Amino acid sequence: MLDALPATTLIAHRKALEAAGIAIALVIQVPAPLRSLANQVIRAASSVPANIEEGRGRLGGDRKYHWSVAYGSAAEVDSHLRLLAGAGAIDIEQANTAL
């Protein structure tokens, strides 16, 4: 899948896609009591590459806004993965790879 990306794709976008894929795969099997946290990981992880790419197509403050949203979403994923790893709900090594 990643090899199908055009050569002009930003490195940050490619890395965000890879990290999001790992994060989403990690949380798919999270137990029911933590499912809402896993759903937040899925939404936030998806937001990172989407906003990086959308910002790339914009100019000025609009570009900065989308990249700022991507950064905030990445920080959210970081926090949620650390919580889920600390709770023993996901593999800590794979979480570290995503982070």
Side-chain angles (χ1 to χ4, degrees):
M1 176 181 115
L2 294 180
D3 292 336
L5 293 175
T8 59
T9 298
L10 291 173
I11 292 170
H13 182 246
R14 184 178 298 274
K15 297 252 183 220
L17 284 170
E18 292 171 6
I22 294 167
I24 291 168
L26 267 173
V27 301
I28 286 177
Q29 299 298 323
V30 166
L34 300 171
R35 195 73 206 140
S36 64
L37 194 55
N39 288 335
Q40 288 179 321
V41 169
I42 292 168
R43 284 192 303 279
S46 302
S47 172
V48 176
N51 276 289
I52 289 172
E53 193 64 7
E54 188 166 353
R56 185 174 80 133
R58 305 292 180 103
L59 299 173
D62 206 28
R63 173 178 279 185
K64 184 177 176 182
Y65 167 76
H66 284 287
W67 288 351
S68 174
V69 170
Y71 179 81
S73 293
E76 182 179 354
V77 172
D78 181 287
S79 179
H80 294 329
L81 287 181
R82 290 177 192 280
L83 284 168
L84 289 168
I90 60 173
D91 180 76
I92 196 163
E93 292 302 320
Q94 290 181 326
N96 283 330
T97 299
L99 294 171

